[in-house]
Amino acid sequence: MKRFAIMFGCSLFCFQLPAADLPVKYIGIEQGLSNNVVTSIYQDYNGFMWFGTYDGLNRYDGYGFKIFRNKIGDKNSLINNNIYTIEGDTKHNLWVGGQKGACVYNPVQSNFSALWYYPGRNKAAQFLIDEVQSIKAIQDASMFVGTQHNGLLLFSHQQDTGRKIPLESSTGAVNYMVRAIEFDRKQQRSWVFVQHHGLFMYDHKKQVLVKVNNSIKQANSLKVSANGDVWLGTDNGVFRFSLSTKSYEGNFLPVQQKVVNLTIDKKAVLWIASDGGGVWLLPSFAKTAHPFVSEQGKAMVNSNAVYSIYEDTEGRKWIGTLRGGVNMVESRTSPFTHVVHQSEGATSTVKNFILTFGEDKQHNVWIGTDGAGLRYWNRATNETTDFVRSPGNGNTISSNFITGVTEDTNGDVWIATWFGGINRFNWATKTFQRFPLYNPSTQAVENNTWFVYKDRQQRIWASATNDGSFYLFNRVLNKFELFDPSILNLQSVAEDSEGNFWGGNYSSLIKIDRTTKKHKVFPLETTVRCIHEDKRKNFWLGTQGSGLLLFNRQTGKYKSFTTADGLPSNTILRILEDKRGDLWLSTFNGLTKFDPDKKVALNYSQSDGLQSNQFSFNAGLALQSGEFLFGGIKGFNIFYPDSTIANKNERKVFLAGLKINNNPIEEDASYISAREIEKITEITLPFNKAALSLDFLGLDYSGADKITYAYYLQGWDKVWNYSNNIRTANYTRLSEGNYTFKVKVAGADGEWMAETALLDIIVLPPWYRTWWAYLLYISLVAWLIYLYIRYTKKQERLRFEIKLAHLEHEKENEVNERKLNFFTNISHEFRTPLTLIINPLKEMVSKDASGNDKELNIVYRNARRLLSLVDQLLLFRKADSGADSLKISESDIVELCRDVYHCFIQQAKSNGISYKFETNIQSEALHLFIDKEKIEIALFNLLSNAFKFTPDGGSILLQLKEVNETVEIVVKDSGCGIAPGE
């Protein structure tokens, strides 16, 4: 009994499970919020969350913030950075009130405009610079603005100039303070709390505030329940105004607290924001509110000063705090129960370093820690018992570093430890027995054991690491014996459905032959951390650094799945299989559910309720109840695999940003050709500006980090671009044409939703590729074709005319040829009788030796002349046919000239013309080499012309002169037609 007391002396502590706690996510300046004082929250029609702070207006999209601040000198910026209230109108404008007035944000123009109001009848409008505590949209698209000094202002039909609403007791406008406004849409009536005056209702017909009750004259918040009752949050607590009794009930807080804000959620629970007391919850029909704390009593919100609470369309609660930023409370609990070990109200870090699990026959769980010993969890009583090493006591566990736990058929528990070898725990004696692992090959005891394993033959195996060996327990000798010295550093073992025994070490997968020891080694060059055969007989290996391997046991080949396939890490620590056949993988970066059929990974992280993103090597166990256990550095998670149902809500996809040539579209809105409110739906770009950067996002506040994206530019891309969680698409040098940019998203379950068309893009061509340029080109081509056709026709006509002229010329030549032939033939006919005439005359002249018969000589000479003319006709025929040529011969030029001279004596005598022949040649003859016939023709032509143009009584002189060895023949006449010739 003494040993029992030593072993359990400090081991019984409370073990608690915060199973009902809602997950809370913190969002603050570390995530980009402009200031951690959040005074107001609003969700717009697109689903974006807006936060009013002490340093500007913030729009949150699940990934980051877009911040609006006042810019000095810019009248289109936020009017003041200290914001108290936010409200949207029917045109989706955002009304923002704060310390120095109110303004309206126009999402189309992306600017703010100040508000004006009429302080009274017949008074000019003035700028609203009063403190604005509340803004509320009411019926008829009107807006109420509650101010500190100017009372309630009504902006009818979204006009930017309002008018003051008087109190019923006042004859005109008076100064009063409005702290809270609420519109009851069910009853179509407006409630207004006027500070120091009480609760009022707005009379829409008279357009005045009618007092309802003034028993409470101070309030900070106003909310109307479904039955029409009015809830007031005051400096002293929460009170309810009952319409039936016309009186207040409460206080509903158990303590006196300053209540700043009230919200009624979809389940009719009243959420109470207090300054100093945190958040309180008042369920429907409850008498007293209770604080919003965990089951351990710890506040769920990180600040006790809460200024605003808002429920979004999906049931999340957004809690704005003073100095604590925003706390987002999920609408449903996490399926992953986070279990931590607490000691006397404090959480021990070392005791929550979990290394391994084991389950006994009573369905209780053994938990091995990294330095805090062995822990036994009695699930029926939810109590734990710690077993830790006691120095000097051999009956305690040999080491506090537990690496493996298993129970044998006798009910004994076998424990593998680091530094302490193998231990066996006996429930009957409550003692531990240590079994050393002695290696006869090295003659050393190996104390660093990595796991203990029970096979189907109920044999106990143990593996030592750090060059350790593989051991089998001998029940007869009650000790571990070295199985095979060739097997070293096993990190994992498993049996498949065929009874084969497999082990993995730092570099290989080994098929262990437990009978003949003829092992088969498959080199992998990676550490095998876990081995699992699924229901489909697929063989899976979890490796350190090489991802998940689907191994073929016949060929030794494998297919790997890594982070490129969606896994969160390439180190797979443990593999568990659920009833559906999905594999659950623990890693160094979260937990993954892997679908072996679709090859899709669904990843979970600390934000989903996991103990942390880092899990441990051997810390994974499937319990007989169907629950899974996975341990890490901050405790462990227990859950039912089928309870992890992914969020199937359709996510809105938005175009979050657009840059053209690296310049934001807001800098030049001329490119926008179509839009729907603030959403740009179409842009038109010139050809030289077609370089786009498009940012997009799927709105999901619970799992934005798990959304994967794919984008596609219709008309440009051939396939979808899968970008995982990258939310930017870049395109450069787009050709002219029409394009449509589309995005689709997949949630944590890996299922792709329908694609969303975000933007139509029109790229205009350069001027030389515009329609009018093409029209000009067509016109020019048509004109050239016309000119060509015209030129062709003209050329054809010209060729026709040439051909016609050629035919006419040929015809004319033919006619001329016939004429010439006729003349030639006639000439030949003339020549024959002339020859017959000349020959007798020649004989007669020759017989008349005295030469007295001059007339006969003249007849003879003229007959010869006539014969010469006939010969000329024949010569012309030859010249026309190209057959004529010079016939040079030696002739007496003097005789030739004298003979030609004598031929015209009778004509000169008849016309009374003085006709002479002169020569200075002394000799009787002058022989020259000439064409006698042509010279004779020339002389006849000269003299014929002379006689033709010489009048009667004139004179003609034929001269033959020899000048400087040159012979000249000159014909001179006294007529007007002198034609001398040489």
Side-chain angles (χ1 to χ4, degrees):
M1 295 299 294
K2 181 178 180 182
R3 289 182 298 177
F4 176 82
I6 292 173
M7 185 170 59
F8 292 91
C10 299
S11 60
L12 297 176
F13 302 105
C14 181
F15 196 78
Q16 298 182 354
L17 296 173
D21 293 345
L22 293 170
V24 179
K25 178 181 178 181
Y26 166 76
I27 305 171
I29 57 175
E30 298 84 356
Q31 288 73 36
L33 187 67
S34 64
N35 192 279
N36 265 11
V37 177
V38 179
T39 57
S40 54
I41 303 173
Y42 178 77
Q43 185 178 32
D44 65 18
Y45 79 106
N46 282 322
F48 293 107
M49 300 303 302
W50 294 81
F51 305 124
T53 72
Y54 277 4
D55 188 23
L57 181 66
N58 296 250
R59 193 194 76 172
Y60 182 59
D61 57 21
Y63 294 94
F65 291 88
K66 183 176 182 180
I67 301 174
F68 301 87
R69 289 189 176 95
N70 173 259
K71 297 179 182 179
I72 298 176
D74 185 358
K75 64 179 181 179
N76 293 322
S77 66
L78 187 66
I79 191 171
N80 184 258
N81 290 332
N82 201 343
I83 297 171
Y84 296 154
T85 182
I86 307 170
E87 180 75 356
D89 61 21
T90 56
K91 290 186 177 180
H92 309 305
N93 298 317
L94 213 62
W95 293 59
V96 182
Q99 187 178 20
K100 295 183 178 180
C103 56
V104 180
Y105 175 69
N106 187 325
V108 176
Q109 301 175 357
S110 189
N111 61 13
F112 293 85
S113 58
L115 292 178
W116 297 71
Y117 76 103
Y118 296 105
R121 293 181 179 178
N122 302 323
K123 291 186 178 181
Q126 63 184 33
F127 181 55
L128 177 60
I129 57 174
D130 197 3
E131 182 176 300
V132 175
Q133 295 281 352
S134 180
I135 300 177
K136 188 63 63 174
I138 61 171
Q139 64 182 10
D140 301 327
S142 299
M143 301 293 291
F144 270 150
V145 175
T147 67
Q148 184 176 11
H149 300 98
N150 290 282
L152 183 66
L153 304 179
L154 173 63
F155 292 80
S156 300
H157 307 293
Q158 298 176 342
Q159 296 176 352
D160 58 1
T161 303
R163 60 184 184 84
K164 184 180 290 188
I165 301 300
L167 298 178
E168 185 184 32
S169 59
S170 303
T171 56
V174 296
N175 295 332
Y176 57 93
M177 180 191 302
V178 173
R179 291 299 302 271
I181 308 170
E182 186 68 14
F183 181 65
D184 187 348
R185 297 190 179 280
K186 185 176 181 181
Q187 300 295 332
Q188 289 293 301
R189 54 192 176 194
S190 301
W191 296 90
V192 179
F193 193 88
V194 180
Q195 204 78 333
H196 310 302
H197 291 270
L199 182 63
F200 284 75
M201 185 183 294
Y202 177 70
D203 188 327
H204 289 271
K205 293 183 179 179
K206 297 181 180 180
Q207 296 186 343
V208 296
L209 287 173
V210 179
K211 185 180 293 185
V212 177
N213 188 288
N214 63 351
S215 59
I216 296 180
K217 297 184 178 180
Q218 181 278 325
N220 304 311
S221 181
L222 174 64
K223 191 63 62 176
V224 179
S225 63
N227 63 357
D229 290 344
V230 179
W231 292 89
L232 289 183
T234 71
D235 287 349
N236 298 315
V238 176
F239 300 87
R240 180 176 64 192
F241 178 77
S242 175
L243 288 177
S244 59
T245 62
K246 303 296 182 180
S247 62
Y248 285 102
E249 301 173 359
N251 183 2
F252 286 86
L253 287 181
V255 294
Q256 184 173 339
Q257 288 286 344
K258 179 181 179 180
V259 176
V260 181
N261 189 263
L262 298 173
T263 294
I264 301 176
D265 66 13
K266 295 179 177 64
K267 297 179 181 179
V269 176
L270 180 66
W271 290 67
I272 303 166
S274 69
D275 187 358
V279 177
W280 296 76
L281 303 180
L282 182 62
S284 179
F285 304 111
K287 300 299 182 181
T288 305
H290 62 270
F292 182 51
V293 295
S294 67
E295 292 190 1
Q296 293 81 32
K298 182 180 178 180
M300 300 290 287
V301 180
N302 64 355
S303 174
N304 286 330
V306 180
Y307 274 44
S308 57
I309 302 177
Y310 188 92
E311 184 182 34
D312 66 16
T313 55
E314 295 181 1
R316 301 181 196 87
K317 309 302 184 300
W318 300 80
I319 301 174
T321 68
L322 186 70
R323 295 178 296 276
V326 178
N327 291 256
M328 185 187 75
V329 183
E330 288 289 353
S331 58
R332 63 188 182 95
T333 60
S334 171
F336 303 101
T337 300
H338 181 195
V339 181
V340 293
H341 183 77
Q342 293 185 335
S343 176
E344 297 180 354
T347 301
S348 174
T349 303
V350 175
K351 290 186 177 182
N352 287 290
F353 289 160
I354 309 301
L355 290 181
T356 189
F357 297 104
E359 185 180 19
D360 64 15
K361 296 176 181 178
Q362 288 75 36
H363 307 301
N364 298 316
V365 178
W366 292 90
I367 304 166
T369 69
D370 188 10
L374 182 66
R375 186 174 304 134
Y376 182 69
W377 176 23
N378 187 321
R379 301 201 64 188
T381 63
N382 195 28
E383 293 182 345
T384 62
T385 304
D386 289 349
F387 299 91
V388 295
R389 178 177 178 270
S390 178
N393 189 342
N395 292 324
T396 61
I397 196 166
S398 60
S399 173
N400 287 331
F401 299 89
I402 314 301
T403 56
V405 180
T406 190
E407 185 182 47
D408 64 15
T409 55
N410 299 324
D412 292 334
V413 179
W414 295 85
I415 303 104
T417 70
W418 196 262
F419 304 131
I422 300 296
N423 289 253
R424 182 174 63 186
F425 177 71
N426 188 292
W427 271 112
T429 61
K430 302 294 192 298
T431 58
F432 290 88
Q433 181 182 0
R434 179 177 180 179
F435 292 87
L437 301 180
Y438 177 73
N439 190 334
S441 299
T442 61
Q443 297 182 352
V445 176
E446 297 176 343
N447 290 321
N448 295 325
T449 56
W450 190 244
F451 65 80
V452 59
Y453 181 82
K454 180 181 67 175
D455 66 12
R456 292 174 185 170
Q457 287 80 34
Q458 307 302 317
R459 293 180 291 184
I460 303 298
W461 300 80
S463 172
T465 188
N466 286 4
D467 295 326
S469 302
F470 195 40
Y471 295 87
L472 175 63
F473 184 68
N474 189 324
R475 292 187 179 274
V476 176
L477 299 178
N478 198 33
K479 69 175 183 178
F480 281 93
E481 295 179 335
L482 180 65
F483 173 70
D484 189 339
S486 65
I487 300 178
L488 298 175
N489 295 317
L490 285 187
Q491 302 297 299
S492 57
V493 291
E495 290 179 277
D496 63 19
S497 57
E498 296 178 357
N500 298 316
F501 201 42
W502 298 84
N505 60 16
Y506 290 133
S507 61
S508 307
L509 177 68
I510 306 170
K511 184 178 181 181
I512 302 173
D513 189 332
R514 289 172 286 188
T515 305
T516 65
K517 299 184 180 179
K518 294 180 180 180
H519 316 302
K520 186 176 181 179
V521 179
F522 299 91
L524 297 176
E525 298 182 357
T526 187
T527 302
V528 180
R529 287 294 177 187
C530 51
I531 304 170
H532 178 76
E533 183 186 42
D534 66 17
K535 298 174 182 178
R536 303 169 182 83
K537 309 301 181 184
N538 295 319
F539 202 64
W540 301 91
L541 306 178
T543 71
Q544 185 166 352
S546 297
L548 179 67
L549 307 184
L550 177 57
F551 188 79
N552 189 315
R553 287 165 282 184
Q554 284 70 40
T555 64
K557 297 181 179 180
Y558 58 86
K559 176 177 176 56
S560 62
F561 299 92
T562 64
T563 53
D565 302 291
L567 298 183
S569 172
N570 286 332
T571 296
I572 310 300
L573 306 174
R574 295 293 290 173
I575 303 175
L576 301 179
E577 184 179 4
D578 62 21
K579 296 178 181 178
R580 295 180 53 188
D582 293 331
L583 303 181
W584 289 82
L585 317 175
S586 61
T587 74
F588 282 154
N589 190 31
L591 197 62
T592 297
K593 182 171 73 171
F594 184 77
D595 188 330
D597 295 328
K598 299 179 180 179
K599 305 298 187 295
V600 174
L602 176 56
N603 301 321
Y604 298 93
S605 63
Q606 187 174 5
S607 63
D608 297 300
L610 300 184
Q611 50 83 31
S612 73
N613 285 339
Q614 181 174 334
F615 289 87
S616 300
F617 286 112
N618 295 333
L621 180 65
L623 300 180
Q624 299 176 51
S625 62
E627 297 167 290
F628 282 1
L629 295 175
F630 283 103
I633 60 174
K634 294 183 179 179
F636 64 90
N637 292 104
I638 181 170
F639 63 96
Y640 287 97
D642 56 2
S643 67
T644 58
I645 301 174
N647 186 8
K648 298 290 185 179
N649 293 335
E650 288 290 332
R651 297 170 181 84
K652 291 183 178 180
V653 181
F654 296 93
L655 187 68
L658 174 60
K659 291 183 179 180
I660 300 174
N661 270 10
N662 208 32
N663 296 317
I665 188 67
E666 293 80 8
E667 294 183 1
D668 189 354
S670 62
Y671 297 123
I672 302 174
S673 50
R675 67 193 311 163
E676 295 177 0
I677 310 177
E678 78 275 21
K679 297 178 184 176
I680 301 172
T681 58
E682 182 184 271
I683 59 174
T684 303
L685 306 174
F687 179 78
N688 59 346
K689 300 288 186 180
L692 299 177
S693 177
L694 304 105
D695 297 328
F696 46 87
L697 64 88
L699 205 60
D700 189 342
Y701 298 110
S702 297
D705 57 333
K706 297 179 180 63
I707 297 179
T708 54
Y709 294 86
Y711 61 89
Y712 175 74
L713 185 60
Q714 184 176 336
W716 183 265
D717 289 327
K718 302 299 182 185
V719 295
W720 282 87
N721 300 283
Y722 292 90
S723 60
N724 292 329
N725 56 356
I726 298 174
R727 298 180 291 107
T728 300
N730 295 299
Y731 292 94
T732 58
R733 299 179 181 178
L734 292 177
S735 303
E736 65 267 20
N738 296 340
Y739 306 93
T740 300
F741 183 67
K742 299 179 179 180
V743 173
K744 62 180 180 179
V745 299
D749 56 359
E751 294 186 9
W752 291 97
M753 299 179 182
E755 63 190 44
T756 302
L758 295 182
L759 183 67
D760 291 327
I761 302 167
I762 301 173
V763 179
L764 300 176
W767 67 268
Y768 51 84
R769 286 205 292 264
T770 55
W771 66 268
W772 53 267
Y774 284 116
L775 182 61
L776 179 63
Y777 301 151
I778 294 172
S779 301
L780 181 60
V781 171
W783 175 250
L784 292 175
I785 293 173
Y786 168 74
L787 291 179
Y788 175 76
I789 294 174
R790 183 179 178 184
Y791 171 77
T792 303
K793 288 184 177 180
K794 189 174 182 180
Q795 289 298 106
E796 288 291 333
R797 182 177 181 83
L798 182 60
R799 282 193 292 269
F800 174 75
E801 290 176 351
I802 292 173
K803 185 176 181 180
L804 183 61
H806 180 69
L807 292 174
E808 291 177 353
H809 179 68
E810 288 182 350
K811 187 69 175 176
E812 185 179 351
N813 287 340
E814 183 180 354
V815 173
N816 290 334
E817 183 68 25
R818 290 179 180 178
K819 290 180 179 179
L820 289 175
N821 288 336
F822 173 75
F823 287 136
T824 302
N825 294 333
I826 292 298
S827 298
H828 278 287
E829 295 297 326
F830 283 162
R831 197 175 191 282
T832 300
L834 283 175
T835 303
L836 295 176
I837 294 171
I838 289 173
N839 289 333
L841 285 175
K842 185 178 180 181
E843 291 181 359
M844 292 176 66
V845 171
S846 298
K847 292 179 179 180
D848 187 8
S850 62
N852 293 325
D853 193 355
K854 295 180 180 179
E855 287 79 4
L856 187 60
N857 286 331
I858 292 171
V859 172
Y860 171 68
R861 289 187 182 92
N862 285 308
R864 287 183 57 193
R865 175 59 185 159
L866 184 58
L867 180 60
S868 176
L869 290 175
V870 172
D871 290 337
Q872 288 182 40
L873 288 175
L874 295 175
L875 182 63
F876 173 76
R877 172 62 178 158
K878 291 180 180 179
D880 185 68
S881 62
D884 188 23
S885 62
L886 292 175
K887 297 179 181 179
I888 305 299
S889 63
E890 186 178 0
S891 300
D892 185 358
I893 189 65
V894 176
E895 182 182 3
L896 177 64
C897 290
R898 188 173 282 115
D899 287 341
V900 173
Y901 168 77
H902 287 127
C903 289
F904 292 90
I905 291 176
Q906 183 62 36
Q907 184 177 355
K909 184 178 180 180
S910 299
N911 295 334
I913 295 173
S914 175
Y915 180 53
K916 296 180 180 180
F917 172 69
E918 296 179 355
T919 180
N920 62 354
I921 298 174
Q922 299 299 324
S923 60
E924 291 295 329
L926 178 60
H927 292 278
L928 299 175
F929 287 93
I930 60 174
D931 187 334
K932 182 180 178 181
E933 185 177 354
K934 288 182 171 55
I935 294 295
E936 185 180 20
I937 292 172
L939 287 174
F940 268 102
N941 287 334
L942 288 172
L943 290 175
S944 296
N945 289 333
F947 278 98
K948 180 179 180 181
F949 296 103
T950 300
D952 295 344
S955 61
I956 297 174
L957 174 64
L958 174 61
Q959 291 181 335
L960 176 63
K961 296 187 294 183
E962 183 178 6
V963 181
N964 297 328
E965 299 182 353
T966 301
V967 176
E968 297 180 357
I969 300 174
V970 180
V971 177
K972 295 181 180 181
D973 64 67
S974 60
C976 58
I978 298 174
E982 297 182 358

